[in-house]
């Protein structure tokens, strides 16, 4: 698990904290358990419910209670909202329902943002394919088409150099046909 954000920003609780979700149940963190089960996990007795090192870190921050609320898309948990308090009564029934509802709303918002980002990326890919097709249609000779392909591939992939080789089966050699960013002699064979 990777921590994406923490508040307050001056809290050192998450510094260097490593969260693992694929550990035996006796070493499982509340966040990992919430992720695995899809249900909130509330820690009310940190010294009994957390490994010693984690409990020491928890109480050193002044926390007395913590909650791990799974972020779920469809039926698949994909993250955890972890909340901590210095008040032992912090997760009463009303607040528990509120935080559970908040986690569901946050899940929906995060999933919508992911889907939007994915569709923007996909639209960019389709635009690049369209532009490539347009560029390729301008060339009448094979070498011009291949040069356009290697140039477009270099631009889209963000690489400085590239080459297209054709395989000559009769000679069992590769012939360099076009390059981008290399001083190689076109027509050379290997």
């Amino acid at each position: 698990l990777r921590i994406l954000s923490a508040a307050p920003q001056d809290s050192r609780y998450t510094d260097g904290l490593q969260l693992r979700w694929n550990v035996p149940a006796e070493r499982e963190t509340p966040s990992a358990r919430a992720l695995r089960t899809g249900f909130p996990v509330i820690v009310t007795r940190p010294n009994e419910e957390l490994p010693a090192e984690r409990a020491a870190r928890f109480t050193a921050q002044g926390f007395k209670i913590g909650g791990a609320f799974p972020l779920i898309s469809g039926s698949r948990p994909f993250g955890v909202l972890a909340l901590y308090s210095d008040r032992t009564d912090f997760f009463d029934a009303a607040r528990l329902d509120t935080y559970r509802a908040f986690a569901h709303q946050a899940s929906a918002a995060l999933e919508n943002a992911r889907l939007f980002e994915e569709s923007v990326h996909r639209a960019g890919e389709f635009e690049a394919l369209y532009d490539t097709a347009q560029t390729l249609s301008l060339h009448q000779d094979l070498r011009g088409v291949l040069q356009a392909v290697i140039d477009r591939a270099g631009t889209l992939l963000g690489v400085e150099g590239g080459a297209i080789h054709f395989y000559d089966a009769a000679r069992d050699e590769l012939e360099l046909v076009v390059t981008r960013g290399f001083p190689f002699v076109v027509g050379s064979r290997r």
Side-chain angles (χ1 to χ4, degrees):
L1 299 176
R2 186 171 40 121
I3 298 170
L4 297 180
S5 183
Q9 291 183 348
D10 62 345
S11 172
R12 306 279 50 110
Y13 179 64
T14 58
D15 288 356
L17 191 62
Q18 292 187 355
L19 301 174
R20 304 268 188 253
W21 65 271
N22 56 349
V23 296
E26 65 273 6
R27 292 190 343 203
E28 191 173 54
T29 65
S31 292
R33 190 173 325 123
L35 187 64
R36 180 178 54 79
T37 66
F39 293 101
V41 175
I42 307 300
V43 173
T44 58
R45 297 178 319 279
N47 291 323
E48 297 171 28
E49 299 175 61
L50 298 174
E53 180 185 319
R54 183 71 48 85
R57 181 188 286 248
F58 189 89
T59 56
Q61 289 293 313
F63 301 142
K64 293 188 170 80
I65 192 168
F69 298 84
L71 301 173
I72 300 170
S73 174
S75 62
R76 182 187 60 84
F78 66 89
V80 176
L81 170 66
L83 302 172
Y84 310 98
S85 179
D86 60 355
R87 293 183 24 223
T88 56
D89 65 342
F90 190 73
F91 291 111
D92 62 21
R95 281 197 181 116
L96 196 58
D97 287 342
T98 299
Y99 296 135
R100 189 177 291 136
F102 180 81
H104 288 299
Q105 291 297 315
S107 298
L110 290 167
E111 179 64 7
N112 286 341
R114 185 193 67 78
L115 291 171
F116 179 75
E117 189 174 278
E118 186 179 291
S119 39
V120 167
H121 178 74
R122 183 92 16 127
E125 288 175 341
F126 283 124
E127 181 180 4
L129 287 172
Y130 176 77
D131 290 346
T132 300
Q134 290 292 99
T135 300
L136 293 177
S137 69
L138 299 175
H139 298 281
Q140 301 299 317
D141 64 301
L142 179 60
R143 195 166 303 276
V145 169
L146 293 174
Q147 189 65 54
V149 166
I150 196 67
D151 288 342
R152 177 60 79 177
T155 300
L156 292 174
L157 300 174
V159 295
E160 297 298 318
I164 295 178
H165 300 263
F166 280 167
Y167 178 65
D168 183 339
R171 293 182 174 179
D172 195 29
E173 294 178 333
L174 288 175
E175 177 186 356
L176 181 61
V177 182
V178 293
T179 67
R180 170 190 165 99
F182 292 123
F184 301 131
V185 177
V186 171
S188 61
R189 296 177 172 267
R190 289 194 251 160

